[in-house]
Amino acid sequence: MTDAKDRFSQTPEAYLQSHHVVSYLNHALTCLYTVKDSDPKLQPFRYLSDYFARVSAGNHVIHQEYIYISINPHNRASFVKLFWKVYKSIGNHGDLLTAKEYHALMQLLCPDFPFTIVQSAARIILMDDAISDCLMAFQDFLYAFQVQFCYNEFLNACRELYLSLSSDKGASSGGTTPRLEGVESSIFLDGITDLIANNTYHHPSIRVIHRVLGKSLKASFYTYLLGIANSDTINASIGVLSKKGQCLDTDSAAKSTKSDS
């Protein structure tokens, strides 16, 4: 979110763009035109007010198309929160599901949600063993899915960068599988810094990336992804999930809510 100082220093156009107001307004008007004929008593201003209240609360993404839920960081984070709230009982019961089963659950919330993102999230946990019948705990999948979905384009670019640095690029895998033994952390970090500087990807904190890659001279792509997925700082910056280890603890969540009120 933009703080007050930045908000008042922005031009009106920049403010509207940073909060994606035009895209929300277009979607709201489309929805309004769709429902107004079936409800002649519908009040357009009340409808728009309710719509933006749902957007602000993050309650606006259920049963929407993928193009809408992925259009900006707020919508993506809201979908992660929705997935967590609807299905956290799976984690509470200790059930293990496959990538295809998690994808089927997502399709109940977003019918055209792509399997490729679910599979990429599974690979953070399972590395290249992310085949359809590998089982994953809900909490492990949830935090991997959060970073994969919220930073999908950025992480895909990081993957391509890693492959370009990997001497295994011409291996039998066809250069699509990141090597496990790693590349030089400093070179990988320099490349990621350039990606951030030269593109408009929504990305995690560069300080966290520095910490993740600064732990050893070499880094594999999977340790890089795991470091991002397990970062409390990144989780807090996205701002929709409890701290890892607490997301399934309903009693502590209730206590936290009472202490905040």
Side-chain angles (χ1 to χ4, degrees):
M1 299 296 289
T2 306
D3 62 30
K5 183 178 179 181
D6 290 339
R7 185 174 71 224
F8 290 114
S9 67
Q10 288 181 308
T11 65
E13 293 79 8
Y15 178 81
L16 292 174
Q17 183 176 2
S18 67
H19 289 274
H20 312 282
V21 174
V22 174
S23 61
Y24 283 129
L25 187 57
N26 286 337
H27 184 260
L29 291 174
T30 300
C31 294
L32 175 61
Y33 285 130
T34 301
V35 301
K36 70 172 184 175
D37 291 336
S38 59
D39 185 2
K41 295 183 179 180
L42 182 69
Q43 299 178 8
F45 289 109
R46 178 63 179 271
Y47 180 88
L48 293 175
S49 175
D50 291 344
Y51 175 90
F52 280 100
R54 292 194 302 272
V55 169
S56 180
N59 298 325
H60 61 302
V61 292
I62 189 168
H63 300 152
Q64 299 291 339
E65 294 181 347
Y66 178 75
I67 192 171
Y68 177 73
I69 69 168
S70 63
I71 198 169
N72 61 52
H74 178 65
N75 282 14
R76 295 190 189 203
S78 297
F79 186 79
V80 172
K81 182 179 180 179
L82 173 67
F83 181 79
W84 170 42
K85 293 294 186 181
V86 171
Y87 296 124
K88 66 180 178 180
S89 61
I90 293 172
N92 289 332
H93 294 152
D95 296 331
L96 304 177
L97 301 180
T98 66
K100 285 189 174 181
E101 288 170 330
Y102 281 117
H103 181 235
L105 293 178
M106 283 189 191
Q107 287 183 304
L108 297 176
L109 305 176
C110 172
D112 63 338
F113 197 94
F115 178 65
T116 52
I117 294 179
V118 176
Q119 192 172 42
S120 294
R123 285 198 176 105
I124 296 177
I125 305 164
L126 304 168
M127 299 190 293
D128 272 337
D129 294 326
I131 55 178
S132 58
D133 58 351
C134 288
L135 298 172
M136 294 169 284
F138 179 78
Q139 180 174 255
D140 292 338
F141 176 78
L142 177 64
Y143 286 88
F145 171 68
Q146 175 179 234
V147 295
Q148 184 63 54
F149 184 39
C150 291
Y151 304 121
N152 186 53
E153 293 80 7
F154 170 73
L155 293 181
N156 288 342
C158 289
R159 179 184 176 89
E160 292 303 314
L161 169 64
Y162 186 95
L163 287 170
S164 72
L165 297 175
S166 171
S167 61
D168 260 0
K169 196 172 182 183
S172 59
S173 63
T176 60
T177 303
R179 55 191 279 192
L180 297 179
E181 62 267 30
V183 298
E184 288 189 40
S185 298
S186 60
I187 296 176
F188 190 29
L189 179 58
D190 287 343
I192 292 173
T193 303
D194 288 341
L195 279 177
I196 292 173
N198 297 320
N199 295 276
T200 58
Y201 300 123
H202 183 55
H203 61 83
S205 164
I206 189 63
R207 292 183 179 180
V208 174
I209 295 174
H210 271 269
R211 287 201 297 270
V212 169
L213 293 178
K215 292 180 179 180
S216 60
L217 294 177
K218 281 196 170 186
S220 75
F221 190 63
Y222 299 110
T223 56
Y224 166 64
L225 291 178
L226 275 174
I228 291 174
N230 292 330
S231 168
D232 289 335
T233 302
I234 290 175
N235 181 55
S237 71
I238 295 172
V240 293
L241 297 181
S242 300
K243 189 174 181 180
K244 193 168 186 180
Q246 299 176 356
C247 71
L248 306 180
D249 187 354
T250 53
D251 290 336
S252 67
K255 291 177 183 177
S256 175
T257 301
K258 288 180 179 179
S259 65
D260 291 340
S261 59

